[in-house]
């Protein structure tokens, strides 16, 4: 089996039993659990009495993407080293995308790789970050600048954790589910675009959609684990989304990753409509949905150059050309597309006009 095929994604409604079974049936010498201070308090108690975890060494780091850095990576390496971790050790990453990214990278690099297991605790990590083997840290002011493809031995997704999340964090992860729906099929798209976020969360329905969403990502990653081709489909909404996110950080009003992706989806579906014949009615429908539930991102035309400049630094670009993933319809993916500056600005106009900004 290829290393890239190794990851198993298990959606579970009985994490304790399934994790205990995994630990009993997996060979490792030492066991480590990485959490941040939030997941240590809110999530670790849900599994801490599993007998196999009693010998685990707990590592915790501060929460938040700004701590996904070399200093915290070094702190994790330090503990692995002083506690005698080997290539046969197992590191469980219990947390959101920040923890699965940095823990995955610590695992990928320590003694050239020990086993890792991801237990995502946010919707964003469950449907995206924890699945697919991308690991890394931020460096030099750039997101995920250093990293590797290193699939975990397994991913256990337990939607119970979703009950610990606030509305904005649920919506953030949901933007990736909208993206997965758009790049897959009308059957996946229809329920996602009819989920009502004004009502109390229907967790049973959400859980079903999480499973479908993860399956979309798994299918694509299995086909192209190292993003040479079709995995770029997962970048829909992320070229303009990342520039929006980066600008929000620079301007000191940071927005959640998924909220920035929602902005990117609106703009990039507009580019899809202009360049690839994406249907206008679906563009309108998705834009209305995002407008209904997501907070608007306020910017004026003075920010366009700065946003554009940030797009030119995207690591997906080649030969200085901004690389977009666009669609010509639901599930009809067009990777490696380019758009000129005027059209990109027009897509930003479209966002602002649609949101009344
Ligand atoms: N988050 C996009 C990917 O995993 O490729």
């Amino acid at each position: 089996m290829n290393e890239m095929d190794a990851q198993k994604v298990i959606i579970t409604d009985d994490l304790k039993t399934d994790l205990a079974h995994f630990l009993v049936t997996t060979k490792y010498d030492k066991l480590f659990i990485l959490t941040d201070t939030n997941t240590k308090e809110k999530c670790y108690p849900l599994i801490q009495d599993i007998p196999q975890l009693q010998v685990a060494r707990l590592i915790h780091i501060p929460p938040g993407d700004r701590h996904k850095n070399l200093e915290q990576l070094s702190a994790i390496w330090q503990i692995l080293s002083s506690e005698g971790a080997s290539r046969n050790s197992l590191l469980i990453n219990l947390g959101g995308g920040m923890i699965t990214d940095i823990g995955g990278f610590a695992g990928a690099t320590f003694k050239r790789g020990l086993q890792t297991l991801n237990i995502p605790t946010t919707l964003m990590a469950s449907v995206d970050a924890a699945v697919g083997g991308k690991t890394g840290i931020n460096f030099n002011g750039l997101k995920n600048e250093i990293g590797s493809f290193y699939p975990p031995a397994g991913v256990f997704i337990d939607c119970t954790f979703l009950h610990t999340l606030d509305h904005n964090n649920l919506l953030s992860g949901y933007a990736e589910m909208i993206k997965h729906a758009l790049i897959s099929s009308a059957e996946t798209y229809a329920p996602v675009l009819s989920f009502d976020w004004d009502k109390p969360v229907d967790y049973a329905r959400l859980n079903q959609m999480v499973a479908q969403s993860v399956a979309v990502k798994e299918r694509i990653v299995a086909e192209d684990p190292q993003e040479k081709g079709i995995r770029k489909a997962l970048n829909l909404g992320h070229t303009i989304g990342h520039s929006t996110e980066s600008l929000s950080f620079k301007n000191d009003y940071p927005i959640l990753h998924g909220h920035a992706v929602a902005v990117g989806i609106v703009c990039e579906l507009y580019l899809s409509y202009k360049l690839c014949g994406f249907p206008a009615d679906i563009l309108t429908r998705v834009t209305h949905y995002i407008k209904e539930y997501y907070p608007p991102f306020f910017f004026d035309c003075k920010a366009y150059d700065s946003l554009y400049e940030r797009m030119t630094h995207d690591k997906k670009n080649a030969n200085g050309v901004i690389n977009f993933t666009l669609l010509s319809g639901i599930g009809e993916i067009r990777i490696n597309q380019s758009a000129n500056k005027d059209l990109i600005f027009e897509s930003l106009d479209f966002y602002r006009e649609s949101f009344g900004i």
Side-chain angles (χ1 to χ4, degrees), residues 166-226:
D166 61 33
H167 182 75
N168 272 333
N169 272 291
L170 283 171
L171 275 180
S172 179
Y174 202 73
E176 301 288 356
M177 293 174 63
I178 296 173
K179 176 195 81 181
H180 288 160
L182 285 164
I183 62 175
S184 63
S185 64
E187 295 79 62
T188 318
Y189 161 83
V192 170
L193 263 280
S194 62
F195 195 77
D196 188 342
W197 285 102
D198 284 335
K199 295 205 176 118
V201 178
D202 179 348
Y203 285 102
R205 222 185 121 198
L206 185 61
N207 296 355
Q208 271 174 4
M209 290 192 296
V210 166
Q212 282 168 348
S213 198
V214 171
V216 171
K217 177 152 187 185
E218 276 189 283
R219 254 197 327 271
I220 290 175
V221 171
E223 214 179 303
D224 176 23
Q226 301 227 10

Side-chain angles (χ1 to χ4, degrees), residues 64-69 97-98 101 124 128-129 134-147 172 176 238 241-249 254-258 260-261 310 313-316:
D65 198 66
R66 73 197 169 89
H67 291 115
K68 201 173 83 178
N69 59 20
M98 180 267 187
D101 279 4
M124 176 60 76
D128 192 21
K134 281 189 181 174
T135 74
I137 57 165
N138 305 328
F139 185 69
N140 205 18
L142 298 165
K143 269 180 76 81
N144 303 327
E145 182 72 348
I146 310 290
S172 179
E176 301 288 356
H238 282 64
H242 276 152
S243 73
T244 307
E245 188 177 7
S246 157
L247 183 70
S248 82
F249 274 87
I255 59 173
L256 292 171
H257 173 68
V261 169
R310 280 156 210 280
H313 291 154
D314 196 301
K315 61 173 138 342
K316 303 184 293 291

Side-chain angles (χ1 to χ4, degrees), residues 115-165:
Q115 296 184 84
T116 60
L117 177 75
N118 286 344
I119 307 181
T121 58
T122 62
L123 185 55
M124 176 60 76
S126 299
V127 296
D128 192 21
V131 179
K134 281 189 181 174
T135 74
I137 57 165
N138 305 328
F139 185 69
N140 205 18
L142 298 165
K143 269 180 76 81
N144 303 327
E145 182 72 348
I146 310 290
S148 66
F149 290 99
Y150 191 75
V155 183
F156 283 87
I157 298 174
D158 184 345
C159 292
T160 312
F161 289 122
L162 301 185
H163 294 259
T164 66
L165 299 177

